[in-house]
Amino acid sequence: MKRWFSVFIISIFAIAAVSLVVVQLIQTRRTFSISDNMFSVSVGNAMEEVIKQLDSDKPYNSANFSYQDLDSLIVEELIINGIDMHPVIGVYDGSQGSFLYSSNPRHEDDLEYSPYRYSFRPQGVVSSSQYFIILSFPDAELFLQRNPNLYLYMSIFLLLIIAVMFILSLRTIANQRKLDQMKNEFINNMTHEIKTPISTISLACEMLSDETISQDNASRANFINIVADENQRMRLLVETILQSAKMGNKNFSMNPKEVDFNALTDKVLTSFKLTLANRGGSVERHLDATPSIVIADELHMTNLIYNLVDNGIKYSTGAPHIVVSTAIEGKHFVIRVQDHGIGIAKADQKHIFEKFYRVSTGNVHNVKGFGIGLNYVAQVVRLHHGHIALESEPGQGSTFIVSLPLKA
Ligand code: ADP
């Protein structure tokens, strides 16, 4: 995905998310104020009815009046008006400045400051005292769910979940695109890599079928060398691609047995004789490990050494000089493949074992490849419970160090 497009999408999402929270907040506040008003109106209606009844049916000063009756009357009227709550109820004598009754003395302070205050005249007579019935609703907050922060936090939390999902989707899309691009590059490279040796081989065969050339021993040998060289290149290519694909399969199994590593390394190095001769290069062997028997899969180990040496040659400018050594270090068999080629920058070293990764700086890639060789090597090492390390300086060369446990 293009960078500017991602930034554009993320900005739109961020603006939409913030706007959503603001709209939600405004809406919530509006709802609260409407429900607050409705609550006050309902309490007012209920109390109007209570006072009407107090003034007529159950005179406040009559002998059969009790505050319990007052409580039940108020609760009853509140329920009729849609408020299913039990308020704190107080009867206040305004002229004395004290409560004559309060249903919960602990809440007298609340009563004093409550806005739900209704004056009444006992028996409808204007008395010298001013009486008030005061109600307080300590549970009103819960009843009205008046806590706007709760809604805000919930909205933010949900938005965060959506944002995380959004980012994950963006990343998946970006990864998919990268993978697609890698796949295309891989197919392009592979076509090129396979086409070149095929045309070289067919050209060499054509030359060999020409009688004037086939009778000249030196030319004949030269063309046979070219065919053998190109053939070896294709073999490694096909082998690496096949084995690498097989490793992704969960039914993949290895075939470990006793392998003489010094002999194996020697065999692989010998097969590079022609390639090295063609480029005027050389290989130095220090196969000093004794004993050199390791329990390993012979085919994968052959490919491993092959890949490392092949890279050493590929990424050397001029005549390649490769040094291969084996040694026993502690409980490990260690093989080092050193070249004096272009080297690998620190930033690339971290990624070098990733599938399809190729160094893209400089003009490294007049050398063709797929970026799967080192990933395959790393997987082989991992399957053998070993370890691979890289020491490299750009312009100086690289050393790949593979250590394998002597006892698998
Ligand atoms: P390929 O060689 O097919 O591109 P590899 O997985 O073998 O793929 O290597 C990945 C990348 O690592 C190469 O493209 C190259 O840039 C870099 N590389 C590997 N070996 C060496 C080396 N010996 N010297 C310098 N660069 C190397």
Side-chain angles (χ1 to χ4, degrees):
M1 199 180 303
K2 289 228 166 47
R3 206 181 142 67
W4 69 263
F5 188 65
S6 316
V7 172
F8 175 71
I9 298 263
I10 290 169
S11 314
I12 295 278
F13 177 80
I15 293 169
V18 171
S19 314
L20 199 70
V21 173
V22 172
V23 168
Q24 171 102 12
L25 214 64
I26 294 172
Q27 195 59 38
T28 314
R29 284 193 188 281
R30 226 189 234 170
T31 312
F32 290 148
S33 89
I34 290 171
S35 61
D36 261 1
N37 289 342
M38 280 174 61
F39 184 76
S40 302
V41 169
S42 302
V43 175
N45 288 343
M47 289 311 292
E48 203 176 298
E49 199 50 43
V50 168
I51 285 163
K52 218 187 269 171
Q53 288 195 35
L54 276 184
D55 287 351
S56 53
D57 314 347
K58 294 179 185 168
Y60 174 64
N61 281 350
S62 70
N64 59 359
F65 179 87
S66 83
Y67 286 116
Q68 268 73 30
D69 288 346
L70 178 67
D71 268 21
S72 359
L73 182 61
I74 290 174
V75 169
E76 212 172 276
E77 283 303 328
L78 283 174
I79 289 174
I80 291 170
N81 282 277
I83 299 173
D84 189 4
M85 291 178 77
H86 206 133
V88 181
I89 299 167
V91 176
Y92 188 71
D93 184 344
S95 60
Q96 300 290 317
S98 62
F99 280 96
L100 299 172
Y101 165 74
S102 101
S103 65
N104 188 342
R106 278 191 296 129
H107 284 284
E108 270 181 18
D109 277 357
D110 293 347
L111 285 174
E112 244 173 88
Y113 298 107
S114 169
Y116 303 107
R117 173 182 290 254
Y118 307 91
S119 84
F120 73 107
R121 285 165 286 157
Q123 289 175 304
V125 177
V126 182
S127 85
S128 54
S129 298
Q130 253 223 307
Y131 296 107
F132 294 97
I133 296 179
I134 308 178
L135 307 183
S136 153
F137 295 88
D139 298 332
E141 293 287 316
L142 265 182
F143 180 76
L144 291 172
Q145 298 192 329
R146 226 188 306 217
N147 186 358
N149 287 344
L150 185 73
Y151 283 90
L152 179 67
Y153 295 147
M154 268 169 63
S155 307
I156 291 177
F157 177 67
L158 290 176
L159 268 174
L160 275 180
I161 293 182
I162 294 171
V164 168
M165 291 316 206
F166 176 73
I167 290 167
L168 284 181
S169 320
L170 275 184
R171 274 182 51 172
T172 312
I173 294 171
N175 281 347
Q176 284 291 343
R177 281 192 166 225
K178 203 169 134 195
L179 225 69
D180 235 32
Q181 203 180 336
M182 281 171 158
K183 204 177 78 190
N184 286 343
E185 266 173 33
F186 175 76
I187 291 171
N188 284 345
N189 280 345
M190 191 167 78
T191 321
H192 175 93
E193 286 272 288
I194 291 181
K195 259 164 113 185
T196 315
I198 289 176
S199 28
T200 317
I201 290 173
S202 62
L203 205 70
C205 288
E206 237 172 70
M207 293 305 218
L208 281 171
S209 60
D210 187 324
E211 270 181 23
T212 49
I213 291 173
S214 65
Q215 272 160 22
D216 171 9
N217 276 349
S219 310
R220 207 179 66 218
N222 186 29
F223 285 118
I224 290 173
N225 281 352
I226 292 174
V227 173
D229 209 22
E230 293 297 327
N231 194 41
Q232 173 166 300
R233 191 131 263 295
M234 276 211 291
R235 192 198 72 80
L236 175 70
L237 217 95
V238 172
E239 194 68 37
T240 307
I241 295 171
L242 278 181
Q243 295 305 334
S244 173
K246 268 193 199 166
M247 275 182 174
N249 189 331
K250 62 177 184 303
N251 297 326
F252 174 79
S253 66
M254 287 200 308
N255 185 16
K257 59 177 189 187
E258 284 194 355
V259 177
D260 182 342
F261 238 84
N262 285 349
L264 184 76
T265 309
D266 200 53
K267 198 170 110 197
V268 173
L269 291 178
T270 308
S271 69
F272 278 101
K273 218 165 114 186
L274 278 175
T275 318
L276 284 166
N278 282 343
R279 292 194 45 191
S282 61
V283 63
E284 210 177 303
R285 303 156 207 230
H286 300 284
L287 307 179
D288 302 330
T290 39
S292 68
I293 304 292
V294 179
I295 306 292
D297 183 304
E298 189 168 359
L299 174 73
H300 291 304
M301 284 302 160
T302 311
N303 292 336
L304 177 145
I305 304 169
Y306 214 111
N307 265 293
L308 292 180
V309 177
D310 187 58
N311 275 350
I313 299 171
K314 260 188 351 188
Y315 299 107
S316 290
T317 43
H321 178 64
I322 312 294
V323 182
V324 181
S325 66
T326 61
I328 301 290
E329 292 178 12
K331 290 182 176 156
H332 286 86
F333 182 91
V334 179
I335 170 162
R336 287 184 171 76
V337 178
Q338 183 186 11
D339 64 62
H340 299 84
I342 58 173
I344 303 165
K346 278 271 173 300
D348 292 310
Q349 290 182 20
K350 291 197 282 281
H351 303 288
I352 214 82
F353 298 106
E354 289 167 12
K355 205 168 194 170
F356 299 127
Y357 189 86
R358 305 197 75 213
V359 175
S360 55
T361 46
N363 199 10
V364 172
H365 291 137
N366 39 24
V367 180
K368 283 282 173 190
F370 305 125
I372 55 172
L374 283 183
N375 175 264
Y376 167 68
V377 166
Q379 290 201 63
V380 171
V381 173
R382 183 178 53 82
L383 287 170
H384 286 82
H385 310 288
H387 179 256
I388 184 161
L390 165 64
E391 288 169 4
S392 185
E393 277 295 326
Q396 306 283 306
S398 314
T399 308
F400 286 88
I401 306 151
V402 174
S403 48
L404 301 167
L406 281 169
K407 286 221 163 58

